[in-house]
Amino acid sequence: MTTTASRKSAIDDSELISAAVAARGDLSPRIARMREQVLRAPREISLVRAREVTKAVKQNPDRPRAIQLALGMKEALRKLPISISDDERIAGAHGEKTKCAVLYPEVKSDFLIAELQNFTERETLRFSITDEEKRELREEILLFWKNKSAFDDMMSRQSEDIHFLVDNIAIVIQNDFNGANHLAHIDYEKVLQKGFEGIIDEAKAAMARIESDDPEREGKKSFYTSVIIASEGVIGLASRYSQLAHASASGATSHERAQELREIAEICERVPAKPARTFQEALQAVWLTFIGIAQLDVGQEIPLGRVDQYLYPYYRSDVEEGGLTRSEALELLEEFYIKFNKVTILGEYAVTKVNDGNTSRYELTLGGVGKDGKDATNAFSYLALEAVNNMRLISPNVAVRLHPDSPEAFVNATTNLMTNGANVMHVFNDEVMVKGATRLGWPIQAARDYVLTGCVEPIPGSTYGSPCSAFINGPKILELFLNGGRPMISVCGDEQDLPSPKCSSFAEFYGKFTDYLRSILEKTMDALDIACEIQKRLLPNPILSALIDGTVENGKDIKSGGARYNLLGIDLLGIGTLADSLAAIRKIVYDERQHNLEEVVEWLKSGFRGYEKERQRLLNHLPKYGNNDPYVDEIAKDIVDFMDEVLKEKRTYRNGSWVLGLHSEAHHVYQGAIVAAMPNGRPEGEMLSAGAGPTPGMDREGPTSSLRSMATIDYTKVYAGASCNMRFNPTLFSNQESVGQFASMLKTYFFRLGGQHLQVTVADTETLRKAQQHPEKYEDLFVRIAGYSARFIDLTKPTQEEVIRRSEMCACG
Amino acid sequence: MDVHPENDMTGLVLDIQRYSLDDGPGIRTTVFLKGCPLSCRWCQNPESISPAPEIGFRAERCIGCRTCQKACPADAIMFDNADRIDRGRCTACGACAEGCPSRAMFAVGKRYSISKLLEEVKRDAAFYEESGGGVTLSGGEPTLQFDFTLAFLKACKEAGLNTAIETNGLAASDNLRKLLPYLDRIYFDLKIINSVEHQRLTGADNRQILENARMLVECRAPVDFRLPVVPSMTANKANISEIGVFLKKVGVREIGLCPYHENWVTKLSWLGRRDSPPAELQKPLTSEELLSVIDMFSQEGINARSVEGEIAAR
C-alpha cells in the first residue's frame, strides 16, 4: 500500500525551522536594528528603584507604606538616567540599561542576599552586575531589608503545618511574593481617556468628599494621597522625556530625525498626563504607564489587556482622518512590542527555574466577544497579529480569544501563526471563560471583558487577582496520604500523622484521599489569608489601584480589597500523574485485586528498586489519561469537581472567589524532583504531568484522543486557567490544508468539546537536540512553556528535556 | 444504527491511526487491515503483509524478566536467540504479549468486531463533523478481508460517517463494485505499468489492477490515483511515462504522489527478519527526486502533487 510507516519530510526539518524563525526580511531598518539589539543585549540590573524606595522607607518611617512606596517610585522616576536612541519614536525605558531588571527588596530580600554572588554564574538567566553595584546592594539596600521583607514577615506568621507542607513542597505559597503582582484587569482606557491628571483630579475630588466622621478617614486619605503621588511620578517621567527630546532635536543627525524628536517632545508633554488623541500618543501613554507600574512593584507579569479594543479607536481615526498608513501603524506597534523585551526580572533562582526561560511575561489579549456579546475582532486585531509574526520575540505574550462567531479570516490568521514555527502565542475559548466567570457570580459584561494576565490566567473586567497564588502538588499529596502523612523521600520537618489509607473499596479509598486533599486546600487558603493580610499592610500598590475599577469609589487600595471584584487562584499540579496513579490503584488493588495497597506502597518507597517488572506493567498496561479512556479521565474530572466544591465554600481575604487552576509553568519539572515514585510507574524524582495535560509520552493515541481526555474536565470550574500544551512535528503543517485541519481540530476542542486553552510548540526532536548542542545557532528558536514562550536555549536542561519528551504529534499513515 | 449481533463478524486490524491528514478530506481515522496479496519490495509496513496475526519483539524494550517464557504455551520463547521467538513454533496466540510488562513483545494484528471497531472510530466523530473528515480503510489491502470491509463500510455509512478506502486494486472487480455504494472516495495505487516489472517488484501480475482502474473510471467512481514514489523502482522515466499514457487513455489528468520514507527498515527486526533491503531503499527520497517526478508527469500532461503537501512551501 501507499501508506507510509511514519511520515517525515524528505528534506531536513531543521531547514524548515530556521526558515520559520528567521526574522521577516521586510522589516524596516530601524525595527530590524532595535529587534536585533534587544535579542543580543545581556541582562543587567538597575538599582535606582531599589535605592530610592529604600531611602523613602527609611526617611518616612511614620508614614503609611503606600505613601512610602509612592514617594520612592516617584523619586526613582525623577532620578532614573534617561535616553532616547536614534531609532526610537516611542520614548521611555524602565531602567538605564538596554535589557535590565529593577529590584524589589521590600517584597522578598532573602534570595537577593543569598544569591548576590551568583547572579553572573547561574545555569540560565544570568545577570551582569558590577562590583560597585554589588557593594551598594549589599551594604546600603539589602542590609536594611534583611529579615524585614514582606515575605519574611508572611512566613514567620505561618503555622507549623504550613511550614511542613512548604518545606516538603507539597504546596507553594506564591501569592505575589515571588512576583506576578499585577494579575489584574488594568484599565488602560482610563489613562487614554482621562490621563493621569484626570486620575489625580478624581482622587482629589474623592478625598474632598470623605465624611468627617468616616471611621476609615485616615486610611482613605492616605490611599488617595498615594494615588496622587504615584500619578505625579509617571507624569514627571513623561515631561523629562519631553525635555530630552526637545533638547536633542537641535543636534539631530537629520532633518527628519529632528522632526521626529520634536514630535516625541510634544507627545510626552501631553501624555500620559492628558487624554491621548492619536495612535502614537496612545502607544506612548500605555508604555509610560507600564513603566510606572513596573517601577512601583514587582513587574513580573503586567497584562496589557485588550489592546485591539482600547487602541482601535485611535488607530481608526488616525487612518481615516489623520493620514496614518497601515504600514506606519505597524512599525509603531512593532517598536511598542520590542520595548517589552527590554524589561526582565531578576528572580530567585529556584523561582527562575519554575518560570523557566522567561521570568517576565507581558500578555496582550486579542479578539473575542465584546461586552455586548458580539464579536469584537477588528482591523487592529489583524494588525496586532501581523506585528507578532514580524517580531517573533518573547514579549508580548499573545493570547487570542476565540468564539464560535470569530471571523474565519481571524481564525485562519491565528492558526497560521500558531503553526508556522514562531511558537509565540496561544488561544482561549470565550464560551468556557465567560461561563466560568458568570457561574462564580461575575456580571455578564465583566465576564465577557476578560483578559489574559501572564500565562493562562483569565481576569474578568473590574477585577483584581491573583489567580496564581499557590500551587498544590497533587502527586506529593498522594505520596503523603499513602504513607501516613510522612514523605517517602527527602523528609523535611516534623511528620504529620494520618490514619492508614487501607480501605475495602476504591470508593472508600478515594473518599479518604479527597478528605486529605480537602484539609490541604483549607490549610492553603488559611495561609493565603495571612499572605493577603501582609500584602495589605506592607505591599499596597497605588499605581495599579488607580487603574483598577472600584478602588477610588471605595477609597481603598487593591490590596485592601478596593477593587470591584476579587479572586484568588490555587493551582493543582500534576493532575495527569495523579489521575493515572489513582486509576492504577483502583485497577490493581480494588478492581482486579492483584496486589494489596501495602505492596504498592512498598514499591513506591523503594523507588521501584527491585520492582522493575511491576513498574513496567504499571507504565504499559494500565489506563492513562490522554487516551480518551473514561476509566482514568473520569478521575481527573472528579478531582476538579471536588476541588471546585471545596473552594466554593469560602471567600478570600479580600472577599473574592477562590478559583482552581491547572497550570504549572515549569513547576511540574522542579517539584517532580522531590516526589517519590508514583503508582502510574513514574520513577522517583521524574517530572510530573504539565498543566491539564497527560503524563509526557503516555498519550499514545494522537492529538484527538489527548484532547478528548483533557476535555473530560469541566473547564468552567477551572477559572484560574488550565494549560494545554502540545508539540507537533513541523511536517504536520507543511501546507495550507493541514493548517486548516489544525484549525478544525482546535474548533472541535473548543466549541464541541468545551476545551479552554491550547498552545502548540512546533519543533521536531532532532531540531531541539541540535539546539542543545549548538545554542548559538538557535538564538530565536522559541518554544511554549506553560502559557508563555521562552527561548529554548535559555531553558534549564531538565525543562529542555521536558519539552523534548512531550509526545511529538506527527501524522502517520 | 446498531450492528446486528449476527452480522458482527471480526476482522484482523493492524492499527488504528487517528488525526490522519493524508488519507482523504478532513481529520480522519485510518484503520489498517492486516493482509496484502502483494509483497512490494519497498513496502513500508511489512507487518501488514501477512493475513495472520504475528508477534513482534522490540529488543530495546526487554527488561529480561522472562514473563513471556512462562506464559508461552508453545515453548517458543528462546532467550539465547536474538529474535527471542522461535517463529516455527510460535502460534501467535498472544500470551507473551499479554504478559510482557514492558511491551517488548507485542501482538501484530488484533481482532475487532464490526461494532467494536465502529465504536473506536466514532470516538472522533466531533472532529470529523467539524473538519469534513471521516474514516479511511487501509492496509495491507482492505479488500482482502472483503466481507469484513463491506460490512464495516456499511456500518460506517449507517452511522453517517464519510468513508474512504486505500486499495492496491488487486481485487475481484465484482467485489470492488459492491463496495462502491458505501464509499465516498477511493485512493487507488498505480505502481508499475510494465507487467514484468510489476511481477518482479510486487510479486503479482498487474492485469487485474489495471482493469479495475479502468472499470472505476468508467463507472465514474470517485477515484484518485496515487503513486508510491520509490527511488528507481517506481520513480523512473519509463514507468512514469507509461503511467502518464495509461491515465490519459482512461481520461484522468491527475495523480497523487506518496513519497517513500525509509524508516520502516527497523520494523523488519521486530518480526524476526534478518534480510535487509537493497541500498536504494535505505535512504530517504530527496526533495529533488520528488520534484523531478512531478516534472516528468507534467511533461506527460499529468498534474502530480505530493499527498503530503508542498514541501517547504511555507
Side-chain angles (χ1 to χ4, degrees):
Chain A
M1 281 299 317
T2 60
T3 317
T4 53
S6 166
R7 179 160 169 244
K8 197 167 169 337
S9 166
I11 66 161
D12 184 359
D13 293 329
S14 63
E15 289 171 29
L16 284 177
I17 289 279
S18 22
V21 298
R24 308 295 85 186
D26 49 0
L27 295 183
S28 76
R30 74 200 303 162
I31 291 295
R33 280 192 298 267
M34 287 191 279
R35 180 182 183 275
E36 178 82 6
Q37 185 199 29
V38 77
L39 266 176
R40 305 227 179 272
R43 292 179 198 83
E44 297 178 85
I45 288 167
S46 169
L47 284 186
V48 183
R49 187 259 172 215
R51 182 191 301 143
E52 296 306 327
V53 166
T54 305
K55 264 194 223 161
V57 173
K58 279 186 193 166
Q59 289 168 0
N60 299 280
D62 300 327
R63 303 193 77 178
R65 181 53 70 90
I67 295 191
Q68 294 175 335
L69 290 174
L71 286 171
M73 171 248 200
K74 185 179 175 185
E75 199 54 20
L77 293 180
R78 205 173 68 79
K79 294 208 175 131
L80 192 66
I82 61 170
S83 62
I84 301 172
S85 83
D86 283 347
D87 288 318
E88 281 180 307
R89 294 183 64 200
I90 301 168
H94 85 309
E96 68 277 27
K97 297 161 185 169
T98 303
K99 190 194 281 181
C100 64
V102 300
L103 305 179
Y104 312 89
E106 78 282 9
V107 179
K108 196 168 194 293
S109 59
D110 58 347
F111 79 94
L112 289 169
I113 297 165
E115 298 177 19
L116 181 58
Q117 287 309 325
N118 206 27
F119 292 152
T120 45
E121 281 130 44
R122 50 202 211 174
E123 185 190 348
T124 59
L125 294 176
R126 295 183 198 102
F127 281 80
S128 324
I129 180 167
T130 65
D131 287 343
E132 172 49 28
E133 284 169 332
K134 271 190 198 171
R135 186 208 58 78
E136 183 188 349
L137 193 53
R138 190 171 46 237
E139 293 172 15
E140 289 166 40
I141 297 172
L142 295 176
L143 198 62
F144 177 76
W145 291 108
K146 192 172 180 192
N147 300 326
K148 259 199 288 197
S149 74
F151 179 80
D152 296 318
D153 202 347
M154 189 271 291
M155 279 317 286
S156 72
R157 285 162 202 265
Q158 297 293 357
S159 67
E160 272 183 33
D161 272 2
I162 288 295
H163 279 282
F164 169 81
L165 293 169
V166 168
D167 291 347
N168 285 288
I169 320 202
I171 64 171
V172 173
I173 302 294
Q174 174 139 311
N175 194 37
D176 296 350
F177 291 97
N178 298 326
N181 276 15
H182 304 91
L183 300 181
H185 198 287
I186 302 176
D187 192 359
Y188 293 101
E189 229 161 335
K190 189 173 176 184
V191 177
L192 298 179
Q193 289 172 4
K194 291 186 177 170
F196 276 102
E197 285 179 2
I199 290 169
I200 291 171
D201 290 346
E202 189 186 65
K204 283 183 178 165
M207 187 144 59
R209 281 198 307 271
I210 305 173
E211 303 284 345
S212 54
D213 57 349
D214 188 333
E216 292 172 7
R217 186 181 163 83
E218 285 311 307
K220 285 183 178 176
K221 262 172 76 180
S222 333
F223 168 66
Y224 293 126
T225 308
S226 70
V227 166
I228 293 166
I229 298 170
S231 302
E232 287 168 351
V234 182
I235 295 173
L237 179 68
S239 66
R240 291 180 65 208
Y241 277 109
S242 175
Q243 285 156 20
L244 176 64
H246 190 76
S248 313
S250 55
T253 47
S254 69
H255 176 70
E256 288 76 24
R257 182 58 188 161
Q259 184 53 35
E260 283 178 0
L261 284 164
R262 279 192 288 272
E263 272 170 29
I264 294 172
E266 273 171 40
I267 291 170
C268 290
E269 200 184 319
R270 179 166 179 96
V271 296
K274 295 183 166 56
R277 295 164 305 185
T278 66
F279 180 61
Q280 192 171 345
E281 282 181 0
L283 289 176
Q284 181 71 66
V286 172
W287 173 236
L288 289 173
T289 304
F290 178 93
I291 291 174
I293 297 171
Q295 281 281 331
L296 200 134
D297 198 354
V298 185
Q300 182 183 358
E301 293 181 318
I302 302 175
L304 300 174
R306 303 183 74 178
V307 293
D308 62 349
Q309 304 306 307
Y310 66 75
L311 290 175
Y312 178 56
Y314 303 93
Y315 169 70
R316 190 182 57 191
S317 75
D318 277 14
V319 168
E320 285 174 2
E321 294 152 32
L324 179 76
T325 66
R326 192 174 187 278
S327 66
E328 282 164 356
L330 187 66
E331 190 185 78
L332 282 170
L333 190 58
E334 287 168 355
E335 179 180 344
F336 180 71
Y337 285 1
I338 289 170
K339 293 202 172 313
F340 295 96
N341 295 278
K342 297 180 166 190
V343 189
T344 183
I345 289 290
L346 189 146
E348 180 172 2
Y349 193 56
V351 179
T352 296
K353 289 198 291 188
V354 300
N355 303 157
D356 212 346
N358 178 3
T359 51
S360 48
R361 293 186 284 272
Y362 308 117
E363 186 152 29
L364 57 81
T365 304
L366 300 174
V369 296
K371 287 183 195 169
D372 59 0
K374 294 187 185 117
D375 178 58
T377 313
N378 57 47
F380 193 77
S381 317
Y382 293 85
L383 191 79
L385 276 186
E386 190 177 334
V388 169
N389 192 36
N390 288 349
M391 289 301 94
R392 302 193 178 195
L393 292 165
I394 284 177
S395 286
N397 188 16
V398 184
V400 171
R401 292 175 41 173
L402 296 177
H403 61 100
D405 296 323
S406 291
E408 199 63 31
F410 188 61
V411 176
N412 290 342
T414 302
T415 48
N416 268 317
L417 187 48
M418 281 181 89
T419 55
N420 71 3
N423 298 333
V424 289
M425 67 178 295
H426 53 166
V427 288
F428 295 84
N429 181 0
D430 270 8
E431 285 192 322
V432 164
M433 290 304 198
V434 172
K435 205 173 153 202
T438 52
R439 80 179 269 285
L440 290 166
W442 263 262
I444 183 83
Q445 293 207 336
R448 284 173 182 151
D449 202 29
Y450 79 93
V451 300
L452 283 309
T453 58
C455 305
V456 296
E457 310 94 322
I459 282 278
S462 307
T463 304
Y464 175 55
S466 163
C468 189
S469 60
F471 288 92
I472 291 189
N473 183 338
K476 190 74 187 181
I477 303 299
L478 180 62
E479 173 191 332
L480 292 170
F481 173 70
L482 289 173
N483 200 35
R486 290 177 292 278
M488 294 182 188
I489 59 167
S490 314
V491 184
C492 300
D494 293 333
E495 295 164 353
Q496 299 177 312
D497 258 329
L498 276 188
S500 153
K502 209 174 165 192
C503 301
S504 57
S505 71
F506 180 71
E508 190 191 342
F509 174 89
Y510 184 74
K512 280 191 188 171
F513 171 71
T514 50
D515 284 349
Y516 182 56
L517 182 58
R518 165 189 284 273
S519 74
I520 303 285
L521 255 178
E522 286 172 348
K523 282 174 191 169
T524 307
M525 289 192 269
D526 291 346
L528 290 172
D529 282 350
I530 294 172
C532 286
E533 194 274 320
I534 301 287
Q535 286 276 341
K536 172 182 169 177
R537 200 153 43 80
L538 297 181
L539 299 172
N541 193 326
I543 183 86
L544 203 58
S545 296
L547 301 175
I548 293 176
D549 186 29
T551 48
V552 177
E553 199 181 312
N554 293 328
K556 279 185 193 167
D557 192 278
I558 46 169
K559 301 292 180 73
S560 303
R564 192 165 305 283
Y565 311 112
N566 288 279
L567 60 77
L568 276 187
I570 296 180
D571 278 288
L572 175 69
L573 281 182
I575 192 163
T577 307
L578 182 61
D580 288 353
S581 296
L582 291 170
I585 289 173
R586 177 181 189 173
K587 189 131 197 149
I588 63 172
V589 177
Y590 298 104
D591 283 4
E592 295 178 354
R593 299 192 178 268
Q594 296 163 339
H595 301 278
N596 59 42
L597 197 60
E598 287 85 349
E599 281 176 83
V600 176
V601 171
E602 175 53 35
W603 304 340
L604 305 182
K605 285 169 93 165
S606 70
F608 289 115
R609 277 173 281 272
Y611 298 105
E612 183 59 13
K613 190 171 136 185
E614 286 74 10
R615 189 180 87 80
Q616 288 290 342
R617 181 152 274 280
L618 291 168
L619 208 54
N620 293 302
H621 289 265
L622 292 173
K624 296 281 190 277
Y625 178 69
N627 298 288
N628 189 19
D629 182 345
Y631 190 93
V632 53
D633 294 353
E634 290 295 329
I635 294 177
K637 176 184 160 40
D638 286 349
I639 289 170
V640 166
D641 290 348
F642 173 80
M643 292 182 77
D644 172 66
E645 285 300 319
V646 177
L647 291 171
K648 273 200 303 207
E649 290 166 10
K650 290 194 175 185
R651 300 290 288 173
T652 68
Y653 182 79
R654 297 190 279 264
N655 192 28
S657 300
W658 288 104
V659 291
L660 176 66
L662 292 174
H663 64 89
S664 57
E665 306 181 24
H667 281 278
H668 57 284
V669 177
Y670 284 93
Q671 296 196 26
I674 47 80
V675 174
M678 279 285 119
N680 66 340
R682 169 194 157 282
E684 181 179 309
E686 259 202 19
M687 70 185 79
L688 310 173
S689 59
T695 303
M698 286 294 123
D699 47 337
R700 299 174 172 121
E701 297 205 14
T704 55
S705 293
S706 195
L707 291 173
R708 288 188 65 85
S709 275
M710 284 187 267
T712 316
I713 289 170
D714 179 354
Y715 288 105
T716 64
K717 296 177 179 171
V718 192
Y719 197 71
S723 67
C724 170
N725 241 331
M726 294 180 121
R727 183 160 75 91
F728 287 85
N729 187 296
T731 56
L732 253 192
F733 305 119
S734 56
N735 61 8
Q736 209 50 49
E737 262 175 13
S738 54
V739 176
Q741 306 311 2
F742 172 79
S744 297
M745 179 168 71
L746 168 65
K747 285 196 244 175
T748 310
Y749 178 57
F750 274 13
F751 307 129
R752 290 173 188 262
L753 303 176
Q756 185 189 76
H757 166 256
L758 184 69
Q759 64 178 13
V760 299
T761 291
V762 180
D764 67 342
T765 304
E766 205 179 322
T767 306
L768 297 174
R769 289 283 177 219
K770 279 185 191 160
Q772 283 182 318
Q773 286 152 18
H774 307 286
E776 70 286 355
K777 290 182 190 162
Y778 293 85
E779 274 190 333
D780 48 6
L781 172 58
F782 291 96
V783 294
R784 296 293 294 174
I785 301 301
Y788 64 91
S789 298
R791 290 206 298 184
F792 184 73
I793 61 168
D794 281 341
L795 298 173
T796 55
K797 191 81 193 304
T799 304
Q800 288 188 345
E801 291 298 319
E802 189 265 352
V803 173
I804 292 170
R805 258 188 55 178
R806 278 180 211 161
S807 304
E808 180 183 322
M809 300 299 175
C810 53
C812 306
Chain B
M1 294 250 198
D2 286 341
V3 178
H4 295 294
E6 63 265 30
N7 294 338
D8 210 2
M9 65 185 83
T10 63
L12 189 63
V13 174
L14 179 69
D15 197 9
I16 298 173
Q17 186 76 56
R18 298 170 194 281
Y19 199 63
S20 292
L21 303 182
D22 300 337
D23 301 329
I27 295 172
R28 308 191 74 82
T29 297
T30 304
V31 176
F32 297 86
L33 296 182
K34 194 158 156 38
C36 184
L38 299 185
S39 44
C40 307
R41 296 213 181 159
W42 58 80
C43 179
Q44 292 166 157
N45 292 320
E47 75 281 23
S48 73
I49 296 174
S50 160
E54 292 169 86
I55 299 294
F57 174 64
R58 283 169 294 201
E60 75 282 1
R61 300 191 65 146
C62 178
I63 58 167
C65 68
R66 295 183 184 245
T67 308
C68 50
Q69 205 165 36
K70 287 164 214 150
C72 180
D75 204 15
I77 307 288
M78 326 258 289
F79 254 77
D80 42 6
N81 190 340
D83 176 38
R84 199 62 51 89
I85 303 167
D86 182 338
R87 303 269 168 187
R89 286 186 182 177
C90 174
T91 63
C93 72
C96 56
E98 193 124 311
C100 178
S102 61
R103 291 194 175 166
M105 294 279 183
F106 60 101
V108 181
K110 189 178 159 191
R111 290 223 155 261
Y112 277 83
S113 64
I114 300 284
S115 55
K116 176 80 183 117
L117 190 57
L118 188 63
E119 192 185 300
E120 283 291 321
V121 299
K122 272 166 69 179
R123 272 166 40 183
D124 277 358
F127 293 95
Y128 311 151
E129 280 162 29
E130 181 67 47
S131 67
V135 177
T136 300
L137 265 186
S138 183
E141 168 52 40
T143 58
L144 201 64
Q145 298 183 49
F146 176 73
D147 292 341
F148 184 79
T149 290
L150 178 63
F152 179 65
L153 288 173
K154 269 187 192 175
C156 285
K157 274 291 145 207
E158 275 169 31
L161 301 178
N162 177 293
T163 57
I165 196 169
E166 293 180 327
T167 176
N168 62 27
L170 186 51
S173 303
D174 276 354
N175 280 352
L176 275 185
R177 276 201 195 91
K178 281 182 201 158
L179 297 179
L180 291 180
Y182 310 105
L183 281 170
D184 295 304
R185 183 70 36 198
I186 300 156
Y187 296 101
F188 191 113
D189 264 15
L190 283 178
K191 296 184 170 81
I192 295 168
I193 300 294
N194 181 303
S195 61
V196 178
E197 276 298 281
H198 194 279
Q199 180 79 48
R200 183 174 75 85
L201 292 168
T202 74
D205 185 84
N206 65 358
R207 248 172 305 178
Q208 178 78 57
I209 296 172
L210 299 179
E211 194 185 310
N212 282 334
R214 273 184 223 107
M215 179 274 286
L216 289 172
V217 175
E218 275 163 22
C219 70
R220 294 169 186 265
V223 61
D224 286 346
F225 293 102
R226 287 179 162 187
L227 167 71
V229 183
V230 186
S232 80
M233 295 188 181
T234 68
N236 60 70
K237 183 89 187 153
N239 188 41
I240 283 163
S241 158
E242 283 163 13
I243 292 174
V245 170
F246 176 85
L247 286 175
K248 277 181 287 186
K249 209 185 277 174
V250 299
V252 171
R253 294 279 170 172
E254 283 180 338
I255 191 163
L257 304 179
C258 301
Y260 173 75
H261 298 298
E262 82 294 0
N263 43 357
W264 60 277
V265 173
T266 49
K267 287 183 178 181
L268 287 176
S269 68
W270 299 349
L271 300 172
R273 280 172 54 178
R274 294 290 164 72
D275 51 325
S276 73
E280 67 258 44
L281 290 181
Q282 298 204 26
K283 53 182 200 290
L285 181 78
T286 65
S287 48
E288 290 73 27
E289 284 172 302
L290 186 61
L291 290 172
S292 89
V293 169
I294 292 173
D295 195 44
M296 284 187 254
F297 271 117
S298 110
Q299 284 168 26
E300 296 293 330
I302 302 289
N303 178 21
R305 65 185 288 265
S306 167
V307 301
E308 293 178 5
E310 303 310 313
I311 289 177
R314 290 193 317 131

